[in-house]
Amino acid sequence: MSVTFAKGFRAAGAAAGIKPSGALDLSVVIAEEPAPAAAVFTRNGAAAAPVRLSRRHMEISQGTIRGVTLNSGCANAATGEVGDRAAYDMAAAVAGALGCEVTEVLVCSTGPIGPQLPMDKILPAMQLLVARAEPSPSAGRQAAAGLMTTDTFIKEAAVSGLGGFRVGGMAKGAAMIRPSMATMLAVVTTDAVSSVQRLKGVLSEAVEDTFNTINIDGCESTNDTVILMASGRSGIEPSPEELTKGVRTVCAQLARDIVADAEDCTRVVTIRVSGAADDGSARRMGMAIADSDLVRCSFYGGDPNWGRLVAALGACGEPLDASRIDITYQGTAVARGGIHTGVDLSAVEPLLAGDFAVDVAVGDGPGTARILTSDLTPGYVTFNAEPS
Amino acid sequence: MSVTFAKGFRAAGAAAGIKPSGALDLSVVIAEEPAPAAAVFTRNGAAAAPVRLSRRHMEISQGTIRGVTLNSGCANAATGEVGDRAAYDMAAAVAGALGCEVTEVLVCSTGPIGPQLPMDKILPAMQLLVARAEPSPSAGRQAAAGLMTTDTFIKEAAVSGLGGFRVGGMAKGAAMIRPSMATMLAVVTTDAVSSVQRLKGVLSEAVEDTFNTINIDGCESTNDTVILMASGRSGIEPSPEELTKGVRTVCAQLARDIVADAEDCTRVVTIRVSGAADDGSARRMGMAIADSDLVRCSFYGGDPNWGRLVAALGACGEPLDASRIDITYQGTAVARGGIHTGVDLSAVEPLLAGDFAVDVAVGDGPGTARILTSDLTPGYVTFNAEPS
């Protein structure tokens, strides 16, 4: 169940020929009526053409849009004016098929940075794609499949039982994942009744502790986009808290799936930081730990090498009293007051055979954070050494 | 030729039993007379006990010291008060053997973070070590060998012909290398005549464009230390520029050797950034490129994946006009004005078979930087996944 789970949305996916493999690579998500929407985008200074176009369209349309078109197989980033024109033409093709303004259509792209989109393949496919869009689960699934790059499974999530309204969503991973404002591509739909203004707050809050707390490889993408649309078709107008809860639940599942499907990873590691000066400081500390190649190598080895966490904490620029650091792997305290507890580290290794959690307490401040990361594996390196 | 190349210094290395392998793991470098010195240390907030001790000793002694003792096999970091005492006892043992103040001795340690030093092995070895210290090249080489952790070769450098004075030095790599103020351990000696004040400026300047421009894995150590001592034994008092030139030459060779010996690396990549607002901005951009796992995977593959460099530049927080980026691999322009030049990228791959250079121009500002990094390899990951 995906973006078509919420009432009032149609979707489709197609193989337009962008990917040489012939796999699905072009998707649309369409609201049956103009829908209030919110979006967050990468803060990367080399933001891709579709990001820049979608930002502008959200401004001009004042957040009321008809749909999104997304492609995989090419990021349309570092493509100059030709790329700007391609992003516009993708939006215009959807708008033409729907009979709406071009500014009511957003565009997302993902894939290698640098190549130009094959517009000769995309434009002819677009009319048919929009015509084929359906509200069925299988159509939602096809749309989600059309986003995949190196993902090994389709990422969908849905939630109901929230007082009569539904939320669904889809996303793609699987590398160049280090959230800034948002991360990767995701489209989340709801049939709740909501204003644009409320959606902005809801999306911002939901993204903050879901997509913005994952870190696969420390590499922030040029194309990160999360879009939330509300059809209002349930007739229910939930409170901001209820709506945030629904959207956050979907975002959290998609975010975790992205980490679980990190290129060649063997485990998901949850880093919980507590005792920092504030939540922002705790998050920067957690991200610094997840940024460290040496830490993520030790995760791959299932090695409770807590000294590498201490070094990463010390290097991240946050205020730190190294003599206050407590570190616990999967429930076993290995360091307290900044030094080894004396526990036999080789006895901790068996606890780290699968996914595990590391608790890092840095003092008695109120700041906490929870970061999801994956291990760094030889397979990740080999995979990303291949010309794409 | 190493730290004993300059006149007025003695050195020794010994196997004290810190390393289970029985390899050399304890060294001293001794000035025959109290010598003006300068030192730079890691800015890591979890700085190791020997770093904190050496900083204090440099203050108390006002920069005139008798020697340095160094050990490998244990970083004496995250070791609390026991570690503080161990660092002090190492300095005191050398001071006792030399008949000088304890504050005239600096201490450096390198190795795993967390374990305590085996002082029962170190202290008995120290008296003998100091007694055996000699001014010979082989003694200098033994001292350099005593620093090695995962290094595969000894890192020594020496330069003369600078108007009558000499400079020599030794260093160790080979991971957790991402310079902050200084990086790794290095001891540089000269027989030039110089004041403490002048040495400070000379070392700061020499380190800035040598050790501070290398980046192996983005991980800043808890133990980085570079120490420069001047015996004055040549009788020559060079100008600050001459002395800086000599010290910089030695530091540059040691820094390059560290990158060339990066754990399991297959090539050294030189990243040259130009056109930035200022040198600091250029350096941060170059470091961001070297920090990127995806970029360093592409270096391993010999793949001119310039789009990943664009993404790293966009994510680093420096002012950027993505439409001004030019990227050249080993002399072949692959991107100009932020987009692909159209050159066949597969034809560039053969140029990247060994060490290579990447030129990144980001505008028309005066800022330039040169960063040395290594590739990220599956072997690096496998190696660092092993419990140490």
Side-chain angles (χ1 to χ4, degrees), chain A residues 31 34 53-54 59 80 119 122 176 213 232 234 252 255 309 321 352 368 380:
Chain A
L53 181 88
S54 296
E59 280 173 26
M119 295 305 290
I122 291 174
M176 203 172 268
T213 66
S234 68
L309 277 69
D321 177 352
L352 314 181
T368 63
Y380 176 92

Side-chain angles (χ1 to χ4, degrees), chain A residues 43-49 52 76-81 84 113 222, chain B residues 285 306-307 309-315 318-327 335-340 360-363:
Chain A
R43 285 189 289 218
N44 193 300
R52 290 180 281 114
N76 193 9
T79 46
E81 289 174 14
D84 288 339
I113 298 168
T222 49
Chain B
M285 287 179 171
W306 61 274
L309 276 68
V310 171
L313 286 169
E318 293 300 309
L320 184 74
D321 177 351
S323 72
R324 299 288 301 274
I325 301 172
D326 298 341
I327 300 177
R336 194 169 291 136
I339 64 173
H340 188 205
V360 179
V362 296

Side-chain angles (χ1 to χ4, degrees), chain A residues 256-282:
Chain A
R256 185 171 178 99
D257 276 358
I258 286 171
V259 179
D261 198 20
E263 284 170 356
D264 215 77
C265 88
T266 67
R267 67 196 87 204
V268 175
V269 180
T270 306
I271 302 166
R272 291 184 292 242
V273 180
S274 62
D278 54 43
D279 288 354
S281 182

Side-chain angles (χ1 to χ4, degrees), chain B residues 17 30 106 109 130 160 169 185 234 244 270 287 307-308 314 324 388:
Chain B
I30 298 162
L106 307 186
S109 298
V130 174
S160 60
L185 302 186
S234 67
T244 300
T270 305
M287 279 291 178
R308 292 180 183 170
R324 299 288 301 274
S388 53

Side-chain angles (χ1 to χ4, degrees), chain A residues 10-11 13 25-26 79 105 107 110 117 167 199 205 248 256 266-267 269 279-280 288 304 324 351 366 368:
Chain A
R10 293 182 288 136
D25 52 18
L26 191 63
T79 46
V105 179
V107 180
T110 180
L117 279 168
V167 185
L199 288 183
E205 198 171 326
R248 184 193 281 124
R256 185 171 178 99
T266 67
R267 67 196 87 204
V269 180
D279 288 354
R324 300 289 300 276
L351 307 176
T368 63

Side-chain angles (χ1 to χ4, degrees), chain A residues 5 20 23 79 92 117 127 135 140 145 147 161 163 165 213 238 247 281 326 341 349:
Chain A
F5 180 62
T79 46
L117 279 168
Q127 181 87 20
L147 303 188
F165 71 97
T213 66
V247 172
S281 182
D326 298 342
T341 57
E349 289 172 32

Side-chain angles (χ1 to χ4, degrees), chain A residues 40-48 51 55 178-183 207-208 212 220-225 283-284, chain B residues 311 313-318 320:
Chain A
V40 286
F41 301 99
T42 184
R43 285 189 289 218
N44 193 300
V51 167
R55 263 200 203 115
R178 207 285 197 192
S180 173
M181 183 157 204
T183 189
V207 163
E208 189 63 8
N212 275 359
E220 178 192 295
S221 161
T222 49
N223 290 59
D224 299 334
T225 301
R283 174 176 303 197
R284 288 186 289 274
Chain B
L313 286 169
C316 74
E318 293 300 309
L320 184 74

